[in-house]
mmCIF file of all heavy atoms in Angstrom:
data_model
loop_
_atom_site.group_PDB
_atom_site.id
_atom_site.type_symbol
_atom_site.label_atom_id
_atom_site.label_comp_id
_atom_site.label_asym_id
_atom_site.label_seq_id
_atom_site.Cartn_x
_atom_site.Cartn_y
_atom_site.Cartn_z
ATOM 1 N N GLY A 94 -41.052 53.386 -8.052
ATOM 2 C CA GLY A 94 -42.240 53.291 -8.893
ATOM 3 C C GLY A 94 -43.443 53.103 -8.055
ATOM 4 O O GLY A 94 -43.435 52.872 -6.864
ATOM 5 N N ILE A 95 -44.601 53.217 -8.733
ATOM 6 C CA ILE A 95 -45.934 53.063 -8.036
ATOM 7 C C ILE A 95 -46.788 52.072 -8.778
ATOM 8 O O ILE A 95 -46.751 52.013 -10.009
ATOM 9 C CB ILE A 95 -46.666 54.410 -7.883
ATOM 10 C CG1 ILE A 95 -46.926 55.053 -9.251
ATOM 11 C CG2 ILE A 95 -45.888 55.352 -6.979
ATOM 12 C CD1 ILE A 95 -47.836 56.283 -9.219
ATOM 13 N N ASN A 96 -47.551 51.269 -8.014
ATOM 14 C CA ASN A 96 -48.509 50.369 -8.610
ATOM 15 C C ASN A 96 -49.893 51.002 -8.428
ATOM 16 O O ASN A 96 -50.325 51.159 -7.277
ATOM 17 C CB ASN A 96 -48.437 48.992 -7.895
ATOM 18 C CG ASN A 96 -49.349 47.973 -8.576
ATOM 19 O OD1 ASN A 96 -50.095 48.294 -9.508
ATOM 20 N ND2 ASN A 96 -49.305 46.755 -8.094
ATOM 21 N N ILE A 97 -50.546 51.328 -9.510
ATOM 22 C CA ILE A 97 -51.863 51.993 -9.398
ATOM 23 C C ILE A 97 -52.939 50.939 -9.608
ATOM 24 O O ILE A 97 -52.933 50.186 -10.584
ATOM 25 C CB ILE A 97 -51.970 53.074 -10.481
ATOM 26 C CG1 ILE A 97 -50.873 54.147 -10.337
ATOM 27 C CG2 ILE A 97 -53.345 53.733 -10.487
ATOM 28 C CD1 ILE A 97 -50.786 55.104 -11.533
ATOM 29 N N LYS A 98 -53.885 50.900 -8.687
ATOM 30 C CA LYS A 98 -55.033 49.989 -8.804
ATOM 31 C C LYS A 98 -56.300 50.800 -8.693
ATOM 32 O O LYS A 98 -56.448 51.626 -7.772
ATOM 33 C CB LYS A 98 -54.989 48.935 -7.721
ATOM 34 C CG LYS A 98 -53.765 48.001 -7.818
ATOM 35 C CD LYS A 98 -53.757 46.936 -6.721
ATOM 36 C CE LYS A 98 -52.577 46.030 -6.876
ATOM 37 N NZ LYS A 98 -52.485 45.021 -5.787
ATOM 38 N N LEU A 99 -57.217 50.592 -9.613
ATOM 39 C CA LEU A 99 -58.465 51.395 -9.669
ATOM 40 C C LEU A 99 -59.268 51.251 -8.368
ATOM 41 O O LEU A 99 -59.904 52.217 -7.954
ATOM 42 C CB LEU A 99 -59.254 50.992 -10.864
ATOM 43 C CG LEU A 99 -58.607 51.137 -12.251
ATOM 44 C CD1 LEU A 99 -59.662 50.805 -13.346
ATOM 45 C CD2 LEU A 99 -58.060 52.516 -12.441
ATOM 46 N N MET A 100 -59.282 50.042 -7.804
ATOM 47 C CA MET A 100 -60.070 49.855 -6.581
ATOM 48 C C MET A 100 -59.527 50.599 -5.365
ATOM 49 O O MET A 100 -60.215 50.806 -4.404
ATOM 50 C CB MET A 100 -60.146 48.338 -6.223
ATOM 51 C CG MET A 100 -60.903 47.535 -7.285
ATOM 52 S SD MET A 100 -62.606 48.064 -7.516
ATOM 53 C CE MET A 100 -62.632 48.323 -9.305
ATOM 54 N N LYS A 101 -58.267 51.030 -5.435
ATOM 55 C CA LYS A 101 -57.686 51.788 -4.352
ATOM 56 C C LYS A 101 -57.733 53.299 -4.623
ATOM 57 O O LYS A 101 -57.889 54.077 -3.678
ATOM 58 C CB LYS A 101 -56.228 51.367 -4.103
ATOM 59 C CG LYS A 101 -56.032 49.971 -3.607
ATOM 60 C CD LYS A 101 -54.605 49.779 -3.071
ATOM 61 C CE LYS A 101 -53.573 50.088 -4.104
ATOM 62 N NZ LYS A 101 -52.195 49.911 -3.551
ATOM 63 N N CYS A 102 -57.650 53.709 -5.858
ATOM 64 C CA CYS A 102 -57.490 55.114 -6.178
ATOM 65 C C CYS A 102 -58.800 55.815 -6.599
ATOM 66 O O CYS A 102 -58.741 57.032 -6.853
ATOM 67 C CB CYS A 102 -56.423 55.336 -7.248
ATOM 68 S SG CYS A 102 -56.972 54.941 -8.934
ATOM 69 N N THR A 103 -59.899 55.119 -6.606
ATOM 70 C CA THR A 103 -61.235 55.611 -6.918
ATOM 71 C C THR A 103 -61.512 55.621 -8.445
ATOM 72 O O THR A 103 -62.584 56.112 -8.859
ATOM 73 C CB THR A 103 -61.573 56.965 -6.352
ATOM 74 O OG1 THR A 103 -60.844 58.026 -7.025
ATOM 75 C CG2 THR A 103 -61.264 57.038 -4.847
ATOM 76 N N GLY A 104 -60.626 55.097 -9.305
ATOM 77 C CA GLY A 104 -61.038 54.979 -10.689
ATOM 78 C C GLY A 104 -60.068 55.584 -11.665
ATOM 79 O O GLY A 104 -58.942 55.974 -11.381
ATOM 80 N N LEU A 105 -60.524 55.662 -12.909
ATOM 81 C CA LEU A 105 -59.721 56.027 -14.056
ATOM 82 C C LEU A 105 -59.271 57.498 -14.006
ATOM 83 O O LEU A 105 -58.142 57.790 -14.368
ATOM 84 C CB LEU A 105 -60.467 55.737 -15.361
ATOM 85 C CG LEU A 105 -60.750 54.274 -15.665
ATOM 86 C CD1 LEU A 105 -61.839 54.162 -16.701
ATOM 87 C CD2 LEU A 105 -59.466 53.615 -16.165
ATOM 88 N N ALA A 106 -60.164 58.386 -13.587
ATOM 89 C CA ALA A 106 -59.794 59.793 -13.576
ATOM 90 C C ALA A 106 -58.623 60.079 -12.668
ATOM 91 O O ALA A 106 -57.658 60.752 -13.000
ATOM 92 C CB ALA A 106 -61.010 60.639 -13.169
ATOM 93 N N GLU A 107 -58.682 59.493 -11.449
ATOM 94 C CA GLU A 107 -57.560 59.691 -10.511
ATOM 95 C C GLU A 107 -56.316 58.931 -10.940
ATOM 96 O O GLU A 107 -55.214 59.389 -10.777
ATOM 97 C CB GLU A 107 -57.999 59.252 -9.096
ATOM 98 C CG GLU A 107 -56.951 59.480 -8.049
ATOM 99 C CD GLU A 107 -57.371 60.376 -6.897
ATOM 100 O OE1 GLU A 107 -58.409 61.048 -7.070
ATOM 101 O OE2 GLU A 107 -56.709 60.445 -5.907
ATOM 102 N N ALA A 108 -56.494 57.737 -11.538
ATOM 103 C CA ALA A 108 -55.367 56.985 -12.029
ATOM 104 C C ALA A 108 -54.560 57.766 -13.063
ATOM 105 O O ALA A 108 -53.313 57.726 -13.029
ATOM 106 C CB ALA A 108 -55.845 55.655 -12.578
ATOM 107 N N ARG A 109 -55.240 58.467 -13.926
ATOM 108 C CA ARG A 109 -54.537 59.241 -14.953
ATOM 109 C C ARG A 109 -53.747 60.370 -14.316
ATOM 110 O O ARG A 109 -52.596 60.692 -14.748
ATOM 111 C CB ARG A 109 -55.526 59.817 -15.951
ATOM 112 C CG ARG A 109 -56.170 58.708 -16.848
ATOM 113 C CD ARG A 109 -56.994 59.330 -17.939
ATOM 114 N NE ARG A 109 -56.179 60.028 -18.920
ATOM 115 C CZ ARG A 109 -56.547 61.056 -19.693
ATOM 116 N NH1 ARG A 109 -57.795 61.507 -19.561
ATOM 117 N NH2 ARG A 109 -55.738 61.549 -20.572
ATOM 118 N N LYS A 110 -54.276 60.978 -13.256
ATOM 119 C CA LYS A 110 -53.536 61.995 -12.542
ATOM 120 C C LYS A 110 -52.339 61.430 -11.874
ATOM 121 O O LYS A 110 -51.252 62.087 -11.802
ATOM 122 C CB LYS A 110 -54.447 62.722 -11.556
ATOM 123 C CG LYS A 110 -55.620 63.476 -12.173
ATOM 124 C CD LYS A 110 -56.572 63.990 -11.130
ATOM 125 C CE LYS A 110 -57.800 64.654 -11.765
ATOM 126 N NZ LYS A 110 -58.796 65.141 -10.734
ATOM 127 N N MET A 111 -52.414 60.248 -11.313
ATOM 128 C CA MET A 111 -51.336 59.622 -10.633
ATOM 129 C C MET A 111 -50.214 59.269 -11.668
ATOM 130 O O MET A 111 -49.024 59.369 -11.334
ATOM 131 C CB MET A 111 -51.776 58.340 -9.912
ATOM 132 C CG MET A 111 -52.722 58.665 -8.756
ATOM 133 S SD MET A 111 -53.441 57.177 -7.982
ATOM 134 C CE MET A 111 -52.051 56.462 -7.084
ATOM 135 N N ILE A 112 -50.605 58.811 -12.824
ATOM 136 C CA ILE A 112 -49.600 58.526 -13.865
ATOM 137 C C ILE A 112 -48.844 59.815 -14.234
ATOM 138 O O ILE A 112 -47.608 59.847 -14.315
ATOM 139 C CB ILE A 112 -50.292 57.959 -15.134
ATOM 140 C CG1 ILE A 112 -50.815 56.586 -14.862
ATOM 141 C CG2 ILE A 112 -49.310 57.942 -16.317
ATOM 142 C CD1 ILE A 112 -51.659 56.007 -15.971
ATOM 143 N N ASP A 113 -49.521 60.899 -14.396
ATOM 144 C CA ASP A 113 -48.933 62.170 -14.696
ATOM 145 C C ASP A 113 -47.958 62.640 -13.602
ATOM 146 O O ASP A 113 -46.825 63.124 -13.909
ATOM 147 C CB ASP A 113 -49.991 63.263 -14.937
ATOM 148 C CG ASP A 113 -50.750 63.107 -16.232
ATOM 149 O OD1 ASP A 113 -50.297 62.327 -17.113
ATOM 150 O OD2 ASP A 113 -51.824 63.682 -16.335
ATOM 151 N N TRP A 114 -48.351 62.451 -12.360
ATOM 152 C CA TRP A 114 -47.472 62.830 -11.213
ATOM 153 C C TRP A 114 -46.209 61.968 -11.231
ATOM 154 O O TRP A 114 -45.127 62.512 -11.089
ATOM 155 C CB TRP A 114 -48.227 62.643 -9.883
ATOM 156 C CG TRP A 114 -47.439 63.145 -8.723
ATOM 157 C CD1 TRP A 114 -47.487 64.328 -8.111
ATOM 158 C CD2 TRP A 114 -46.482 62.363 -7.967
ATOM 159 N NE1 TRP A 114 -46.601 64.407 -7.055
ATOM 160 C CE2 TRP A 114 -45.962 63.195 -6.915
ATOM 161 C CE3 TRP A 114 -46.006 61.057 -8.047
ATOM 162 C CZ2 TRP A 114 -45.007 62.776 -6.044
ATOM 163 C CZ3 TRP A 114 -45.032 60.597 -7.164
ATOM 164 C CH2 TRP A 114 -44.552 61.506 -6.157
ATOM 165 N N ALA A 115 -46.377 60.662 -11.402
ATOM 166 C CA ALA A 115 -45.218 59.779 -11.406
ATOM 167 C C ALA A 115 -44.224 60.173 -12.533
ATOM 168 O O ALA A 115 -43.038 60.151 -12.282
ATOM 169 C CB ALA A 115 -45.643 58.310 -11.551
ATOM 170 N N ARG A 116 -44.734 60.453 -13.691
ATOM 171 C CA ARG A 116 -43.857 60.794 -14.790
ATOM 172 C C ARG A 116 -43.166 62.116 -14.497
ATOM 173 O O ARG A 116 -41.963 62.295 -14.844
ATOM 174 C CB ARG A 116 -44.691 60.934 -16.082
ATOM 175 C CG ARG A 116 -45.274 59.655 -16.566
ATOM 176 C CD ARG A 116 -44.262 58.560 -16.687
ATOM 177 N NE ARG A 116 -44.792 57.329 -17.286
ATOM 178 C CZ ARG A 116 -44.196 56.158 -17.162
ATOM 179 N NH1 ARG A 116 -43.079 56.032 -16.479
ATOM 180 N NH2 ARG A 116 -44.694 55.093 -17.767
ATOM 181 N N ALA A 117 -43.836 63.057 -13.891
ATOM 182 C CA ALA A 117 -43.194 64.337 -13.580
ATOM 183 C C ALA A 117 -42.051 64.153 -12.583
ATOM 184 O O ALA A 117 -41.135 64.927 -12.542
ATOM 185 C CB ALA A 117 -44.231 65.299 -13.025
ATOM 186 N N GLU A 118 -42.181 63.125 -11.707
ATOM 187 C CA GLU A 118 -41.151 62.822 -10.700
ATOM 188 C C GLU A 118 -40.162 61.758 -11.128
ATOM 189 O O GLU A 118 -39.383 61.246 -10.344
ATOM 190 C CB GLU A 118 -41.826 62.381 -9.357
ATOM 191 C CG GLU A 118 -42.714 63.480 -8.733
ATOM 192 C CD GLU A 118 -41.923 64.688 -8.295
ATOM 193 O OE1 GLU A 118 -40.712 64.607 -8.110
ATOM 194 O OE2 GLU A 118 -42.511 65.787 -8.134
#
């Protein structure tokens, strides 16, 4: 699993893409 933090990933737009990637994998 992955822990997504807005302060590391640059915000909500990128966080949503990371969620989609994790679900696909």
Side-chain angles (χ1 to χ4, degrees):
I95 59 173
N96 186 355
I97 302 171
K98 296 180 179 178
L99 301 185
M100 294 301 125
K101 293 194 304 179
C102 76
T103 72
L105 293 162
E107 183 122 345
R109 294 187 68 206
K110 295 174 184 177
M111 294 173 73
I112 291 171
D113 290 342
W114 185 93
R116 294 309 186 197
E118 296 296 339

